[in-house]
Amino acid sequence: MTFGSELRQRRLEAHESLADLACRIHVHRTHIQHIEAGRRVPSRALAEAADIALNAEGRLVRAFNEEDEQRQQQAATRRTLAASLATSRDLCQLADLELDELHAGVEETAIDYLGTAPGPMLHRADALRRDALSRLRDYRHGQHQRSDLYVAAGRLSGILAYSALDLGDANAALEHARAAGRCAQQAGDTELLMWVRGTQSLIARFNGDYGIALGYVQDGLHHVGDVPGTGAARLLCGEVQCLANLGDSAGANQTLHLAEQARERVQRPDSLAGLFEFSETKQRYYAASSLIWLDGGDDARTAAAEARAAIASWEQMPPAQRSLDDERLCHIYLATALVQLGEVEAAADAMAPVLSLPVEAQISWINKRAHRVASMLSAPRYRNSSAAEDLKDAIGALG
């Protein structure tokens, strides 16, 4: 429970109005209202005064302390994000990158990313990449390790791009992705370059720039050939998202079929697992996340079926293999399709795991997509639906 919701609960239990409490702790009632809604950060003095005024027996102070610790951790993450950008700019300018013994750390980080919050991953990837640059600058590498250094630094930059995007900073994500692309080109690693183009397209889609996103996809598809992994399927699924957002149902469904064919043609697995592979489950997730942008009907039914299949697949996996953020988002995509089909109560059930998430687990994608569901529930068809109002209120309480 947040400090704001704890404050509201204690105030209501004490039968105090906003005006009553404001008078007792000497602040304006609007300020308390904003704090309860999570729009303003309380001071420690206010928390202590409210705790006494409402006889909360220390509960409000404890809630404040917990949130204050979270804010300090988030501030540390933002500082790391800023510092990591400087390294990405260096990578774009350096002509030679080399790496000695960091491959195991890169592989572990790529896998752990699926089940770990983006903040800790940002810290770990940045530390690994700093070590890579230190080895470069000290020339601590073997004669034939230059390409390996580029690939490792490129993958770490890619992980940082994902971390930045999940934290809501698309501009930082683009800089990290640009550094990853430069590394891939210098290493001559087509597989990594295709992955980077897919990531750049993802960032552009996050910003709503679907024309630019399509350009990244098309550039990536130019490199399809004797390349290991699922890069072509991932790029085509990115194209599906663009076409769906542009309202092209026929094109989106046709390209989904092409993505399935690309997966069937894969002869060699992805060189690195975790964040750098595109599983069949993830492909179903992409199908669901794309078709919900069309006009409902058959597209919504297909989206709901794909979302359910992806969720069921993730639920059967060991925890280390589950992509928790994608799984949570898939619940939102299922709810979106169900709202399009008029099944509001089923949509509320689909959203339930997301609505109970703590604030630190609510990545930027979750908030963006959940609030779209809320806006859909404001349509005239749901004007007299209590279930729609309840779900809107629950989504509004997200961070």
Side-chain angles (χ1 to χ4, degrees):
M1 182 178 290
T2 66
F3 176 84
S5 58
E6 180 81 31
L7 175 62
R8 185 173 187 276
Q9 180 177 322
R10 297 298 163 192
R11 179 175 61 79
L12 293 177
E13 288 177 354
H15 305 290
E16 294 263 357
S17 67
L18 286 169
D20 291 337
L21 180 59
C23 182
R24 294 184 65 188
I25 64 175
H26 309 295
V27 297
H28 196 277
R29 61 181 299 277
T30 304
H31 184 60
I32 298 176
Q33 187 175 29
H34 284 315
I35 289 172
E36 289 186 350
R39 291 190 292 269
R40 288 185 185 169
V41 176
S43 66
R44 181 176 296 278
L46 183 144
E48 292 173 347
D51 195 278
I52 294 170
L54 298 174
N55 295 318
E57 299 179 341
R59 293 184 181 88
L60 287 173
V61 173
R62 284 195 295 273
F64 172 84
N65 288 336
E66 289 172 2
E67 282 198 1
D68 189 55
E69 183 178 353
Q70 290 177 5
R71 284 191 291 270
Q72 291 179 25
Q73 291 173 350
Q74 290 166 0
T77 296
R78 288 193 294 271
R79 288 193 294 271
T80 301
L81 179 59
S84 66
L85 281 177
T87 307
S88 265
R89 290 160 186 153
D90 285 347
L91 283 170
C92 287
Q93 297 170 3
L94 287 168
D96 297 304
L97 298 177
E98 298 172 331
L99 184 60
D100 187 14
E101 299 288 340
L102 296 180
H103 295 294
V106 176
E107 181 177 358
E108 180 182 326
T109 303
I111 293 171
D112 287 351
Y113 193 94
L114 300 183
T116 309
M121 289 293 95
L122 181 82
H123 290 289
R124 189 198 299 182
D126 185 53
L128 285 167
R129 198 175 62 164
R130 285 176 180 275
D131 188 52
L133 283 177
S134 174
R135 294 172 188 276
L136 165 72
R137 292 187 173 112
D138 295 342
Y139 291 91
R140 289 184 286 128
H141 55 81
Q143 184 176 358
H144 304 293
Q145 290 181 315
R146 181 167 295 175
S147 292
D148 286 346
L149 174 60
Y150 270 115
V151 171
R155 285 171 174 164
L156 289 166
S157 296
I159 293 169
L160 287 166
Y162 258 79
S163 299
L165 192 63
D166 283 343
L167 291 166
D169 194 333
N171 291 331
L174 277 174
E175 288 207 43
H176 288 314
R178 190 178 302 118
R182 288 292 301 275
C183 292
Q185 289 169 330
Q186 292 294 333
D189 191 313
T190 304
E191 181 187 6
L192 177 57
L193 183 59
M194 289 173 64
W195 184 90
V196 170
R197 292 294 180 259
T199 300
Q200 289 172 313
S201 177
L202 175 68
I203 298 166
R205 298 195 300 273
F206 179 89
N207 286 331
D209 298 327
Y210 298 107
I212 294 172
L214 276 172
Y216 283 126
V217 167
Q218 289 159 3
D219 184 81
L221 289 173
H222 286 155
H223 300 284
V224 172
D226 186 22
V227 180
T230 53
R234 179 173 181 253
L235 284 163
L236 286 166
C237 284
E239 182 175 345
V240 173
Q241 286 195 337
C242 294
L243 294 172
N245 275 276
L246 293 170
D248 185 354
S249 175
N253 281 282
Q254 180 181 3
T255 308
L256 270 177
H257 181 63
L258 294 177
E260 292 169 2
Q261 292 179 328
R263 173 171 293 282
E264 292 170 358
R265 290 194 297 269
V266 173
Q267 298 293 319
R268 291 175 290 164
D270 297 280
S271 298
L272 196 63
L275 191 61
F276 293 92
E277 65 181 342
F278 192 69
S279 66
E280 184 176 355
T281 303
K282 188 69 176 279
Q283 193 156 336
R284 289 184 176 277
Y285 159 89
Y286 261 69
S289 69
S290 302
L291 298 179
I292 56 169
W293 295 98
L294 295 164
D295 294 329
D298 288 341
D299 287 321
R301 279 184 278 276
T302 302
E306 295 285 5
R308 286 191 176 105
I311 292 167
S313 177
W314 271 314
E315 289 176 344
Q316 294 171 5
M317 294 180 187
Q321 296 178 17
R322 292 170 71 170
S323 179
L324 294 180
D325 287 333
D326 289 341
E327 186 177 337
R328 292 159 179 164
L329 280 165
C330 211
H331 280 274
I332 300 177
Y333 299 146
L334 173 57
T336 305
L338 292 170
V339 169
Q340 289 175 324
L341 295 169
E343 301 176 26
V344 179
E345 292 183 358
D349 290 339
M351 286 285 292
V354 177
L355 298 175
S356 61
L357 286 175
V359 173
E360 62 271 18
Q362 297 171 24
I363 65 169
S364 58
W365 289 102
I366 286 176
N367 282 300
K368 286 186 72 164
R369 298 303 180 237
H371 284 93
R372 183 194 175 213
V373 176
S375 67
M376 292 169 63
L377 292 167
S378 298
R381 67 188 291 196
Y382 297 121
R383 185 169 297 149
N384 297 317
S385 169
S386 59
E389 287 300 317
D390 290 344
L391 182 52
K392 278 172 56 180
D393 291 343
I395 293 172
L398 287 172

